[in-house]
């Protein structure tokens, strides 16, 4: 490294480039020209900025002094002992970021933010609507400081509308906007598919929307509503909205006897469980997978109504369940793949970590953290050949980079110590 200079980026925003030689620029990742100020906490917002940071963006995370991001108090923890620097959730969601602590209620902290905003391209925040305005840091104020700024706001119901200030949760938002109504069994209450799925999906959408705004011309405010990410979710909601408009159809929860034909679902085997989707048009492939036993070659199994006959389903189970119990999940998976049947083992975490097929593509990354130690993390969500995902630093300690950032802004050591005594940092 011999010099630091500024040059126009592909997005039109001026980027900082480290010059290795007078005519050669070096970029650390696809987004290495992007500078992000991160006011997010818990899951959806931090996942947004993690995606940007992991592909090269310089993300500075603003946390509350002494407390930090609420995700620091979410498990899992080593030995189930809570520790502000060892939350597995926080460590995963904040790789490649730096951390500064600021009490945004103080005028001095707000002044520091305004100085930082001059030199960033993007601000991402996940406060309740109106909170950034209360700090004097809403989009209008930030744009007045930096006319090219992109501000992404992530909230439950968006920055406008009658539900703007409503409190909610991942589960509730999925129930309101997603296809929870038809998930589960017909004689039981609706079910949600998994914890925090809505939040991660919203985070991914917010990252995509942010990059769209960066590559568009000029400043803009990106308003991401968790609820609206579910209204248009690919998890059956889009098709069900159309089905209702076309035919007045309200989707229903199905009974196990007819849901997707048979065999369809989770089955116990010699060493765990496998999932198989082999009903209806795939039934003949399942029979081939089982070695085409004579008992399953009778034409009654292939009549159009056979897949909806609960008595035939029970009779088939008498063949199929013993067949599964005599085999391991990997043996069943292999036989299913050879017969063209959709199937996969249901993995515990130990199965997944030790799967050499998954490991061979580098889906996990070992990261050494100064407090939590060396751990295996989920790696890149996708591969970019020329500008790959990389781990440049583990998740930051709380306020790890406060002094570094303030020093770069021109604060002397005595000034920084005074800010600390005043509770500003």
């Amino acid at each position: 490294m011999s010099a630091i200079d500024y040059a126009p980026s592909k997005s039109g925003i001026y980027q900082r480039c480290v010059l290795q030689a007078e005519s050669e620029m070096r970029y650390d990742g696809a987004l290495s020209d992007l500078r992000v100020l991160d006011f997010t906490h818990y899951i959806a917002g931090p996942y947004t900025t993690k995606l940007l940071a992991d592909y090269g963006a310089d993300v500075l995370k603003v946390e509350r002094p002494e407390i930090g991001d609420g995700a620091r108090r979410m498990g899992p923890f080593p030995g189930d002992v809570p520790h502000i620097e060892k939350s597995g959730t926080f460590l995963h969601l904040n790789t490649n970021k730096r951390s500064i602590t600021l009490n945004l209620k103080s005028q001095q902290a707000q002044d520091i933010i305004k100085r930082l905003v001059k030199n960033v391209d993007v601000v991402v925040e996940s406060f309740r609507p109106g909170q950034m305005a209360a700090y004097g840091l809403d989009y209008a104020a930030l744009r007045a400081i930096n006319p090219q700024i992109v501000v992404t706001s992530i909230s439950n119901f968006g920055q406008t509308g009658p539900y703007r200030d409503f409190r909610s949760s991942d589960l509730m938002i999925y129930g309101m906007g997603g296809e929870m109504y038809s998930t589960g069994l017909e004689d039981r209450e609706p079910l949600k598919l998994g914890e925090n799925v809505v939040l991660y999906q919203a985070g991914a959408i917010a990252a995509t929307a942010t990059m769209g705004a960066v590559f568009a011309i000029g400043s803009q405010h990106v308003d991401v509503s968790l609820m609206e990410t579910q209204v248009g979710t690919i998890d059956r909601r889009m098709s069900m909205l159309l089905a209702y408009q076309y035919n007045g159809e309200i989707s229903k929860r199905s009974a196990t006897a007819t849901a997707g034909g048979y065999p369809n679902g989770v089955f116990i085997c010699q060493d765990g469980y496998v999932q198989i989707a082999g009903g209806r048009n795939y039934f003949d492939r399942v029979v081939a997978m089982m070695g085409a036993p004579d008992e399953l070659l009778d034409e009654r199994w292939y009549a159009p109504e056979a897949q909806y006959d609960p008595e035939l389903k029970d009779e088939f189970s008498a063949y199929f369940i013993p067949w599964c119990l005599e085999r391991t999940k990997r043996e069943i998976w292999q036989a299913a793949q050879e017969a063209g049947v959709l199937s996969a083992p249901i993995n515990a975490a130990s199965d997944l970590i030790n799967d050499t097929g998954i490991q061979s593509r580098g889906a996990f990354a070992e990261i050494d953290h100064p407090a939590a130690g060396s751990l295996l993390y989920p790696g890149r969500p996708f591969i970019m050949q020329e500008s790959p995902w990389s781990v440049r630093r583990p998740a930051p300690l709380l306020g790890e980079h406060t002094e570094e950032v303030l020093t770069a802004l021109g604060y002397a050591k005595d000034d920084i110590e005074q800010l600390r005594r005043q509770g500003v940092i």
Side-chain angles (χ1 to χ4, degrees):
M1 302 180 185
S2 58
I4 297 178
D5 202 354
Y6 290 83
S9 72
K10 52 187 174 294
S11 62
I13 294 174
Y14 274 71
Q15 63 188 8
R16 185 178 59 186
C17 307
V18 179
L19 304 183
Q20 290 181 293
E22 288 187 4
S23 59
E24 182 183 359
M25 295 182 182
R26 182 174 69 98
Y27 303 101
D28 293 326
L31 304 180
S32 61
D33 60 332
L34 194 71
R35 288 154 294 175
V36 179
L37 197 53
D38 179 3
F39 294 94
T40 68
H41 42 273
Y42 289 107
I43 293 176
Y47 188 58
T48 299
T49 50
K50 169 186 171 64
L51 291 173
L52 305 179
D54 284 357
Y55 282 92
D58 177 13
V59 176
L60 179 60
K61 184 179 182 70
V62 180
E63 299 188 78
R64 291 181 294 175
E66 300 182 359
I67 298 174
D69 183 346
R72 290 182 178 273
R73 292 175 290 285
M74 298 173 67
F77 297 100
D80 283 336
V81 179
H83 189 292
I84 199 169
E85 301 293 359
K86 298 181 181 180
S87 158
T89 301
F90 180 86
L91 295 179
H92 167 60
L93 288 171
N94 293 282
T95 50
N96 288 320
K97 301 178 188 178
R98 296 183 294 155
S99 169
I100 179 174
T101 52
L102 287 172
N103 178 1
L104 295 177
K105 295 179 181 177
S106 76
Q107 184 60 53
Q108 291 159 295
Q110 294 166 13
D111 291 341
I112 291 170
I113 292 298
K114 290 173 182 175
R115 294 181 65 183
L116 290 171
V117 164
K118 292 178 181 176
N119 294 304
V120 301
D121 307 302
V122 172
V123 167
V124 185
E125 61 94 5
S126 61
F127 289 116
R128 296 183 67 188
Q131 188 60 57
M132 287 292 278
Y135 293 144
L137 300 172
D138 61 355
Y139 170 64
L142 299 181
R143 186 181 181 186
I145 299 168
N146 181 344
Q148 295 299 314
I149 196 77
V150 168
V151 177
T152 297
S153 296
I154 304 167
S155 61
N156 290 333
F157 296 96
Q159 301 297 305
T160 59
Y163 300 153
R164 188 190 88 143
D165 297 320
F166 280 22
R167 295 178 182 272
S168 194
S169 72
D170 172 82
L171 172 64
M172 296 170 188
I173 286 173
Y174 182 63
M176 282 187 70
E179 192 58 22
M180 185 170 168
Y181 184 81
S182 64
T183 304
L185 304 178
E186 66 177 354
D187 57 347
R188 298 295 300 272
E189 64 277 9
L191 296 174
K192 184 178 178 300
L193 293 178
E195 187 178 13
N196 296 331
V197 172
V198 168
L199 302 180
Y200 281 97
Q201 182 187 5
I205 289 173
T208 304
T210 299
M211 290 313 303
V214 167
F215 278 86
I217 297 174
S219 170
Q220 59 180 306
H221 188 193
V222 179
D223 179 1
V224 177
S225 155
L226 297 182
M227 171 68 179
E228 289 167 9
T229 66
Q230 298 309 294
V231 169
T233 179
I234 198 170
D235 176 20
R236 299 162 293 157
R237 182 50 104 191
M238 288 186 291
S239 58
M240 295 306 178
L241 286 172
L242 287 175
Y244 175 70
Q245 292 173 83
Y246 288 164
N247 307 311
E249 178 182 337
I250 302 292
S251 53
K252 298 178 180 177
R253 296 183 296 285
S254 301
T256 53
T258 59
Y262 57 85
N264 189 40
V266 176
F267 298 90
I268 190 169
C269 62
Q270 193 178 90
D271 61 346
Y273 297 90
V274 292
Q275 184 163 293
I276 293 177
R280 298 179 181 172
N281 295 336
Y282 292 98
F283 183 74
D284 59 341
R285 299 186 188 185
V286 172
V287 173
M289 175 186 79
M290 297 172 66
D294 292 340
E295 297 86 348
L296 297 178
L297 297 180
D298 191 280
E299 61 183 19
R300 65 193 174 100
W301 294 104
Y302 303 93
E305 67 276 11
Q307 283 284 304
Y308 305 95
D309 186 332
E311 292 184 2
L312 275 180
K313 178 178 181 294
D314 290 343
E315 185 177 343
F316 173 78
S317 296
Y319 296 111
F320 188 63
I321 292 175
W323 186 87
C324 290
L325 289 172
E326 292 171 357
R327 291 163 176 80
T328 66
K329 52 191 175 186
R330 187 160 285 272
E331 288 171 342
I332 294 172
W333 188 28
Q334 184 66 37
Q337 293 299 317
E338 290 173 357
V341 176
L342 298 180
S343 173
I346 293 184
N347 286 330
S350 55
D351 298 320
L352 193 59
I353 283 179
N354 294 312
D355 188 315
T356 55
I358 301 295
Q359 290 176 351
S360 68
R361 279 179 52 84
F364 295 105
E366 187 168 354
I367 302 175
D368 191 25
H369 186 272
S374 182
L375 295 167
L376 206 59
Y377 290 56
R380 75 292 182 280
F382 51 85
I383 297 172
M384 296 181 71
Q385 184 178 8
E386 299 298 332
S387 49
W389 179 94
S390 66
V391 178
R392 304 185 304 284
R393 57 169 62 94
L397 301 173
L398 179 58
E400 179 180 351
H401 304 94
T402 301
E403 187 167 338
E404 168 189 304
V405 172
L406 293 179
T407 301
L409 288 177
Y411 286 83
K413 278 187 174 293
D414 291 344
D415 300 329
I416 296 172
E417 190 53 40
Q418 185 175 359
L419 290 172
R420 201 180 304 282
R421 287 196 299 270
Q422 293 172 337
V424 176
I425 61 175

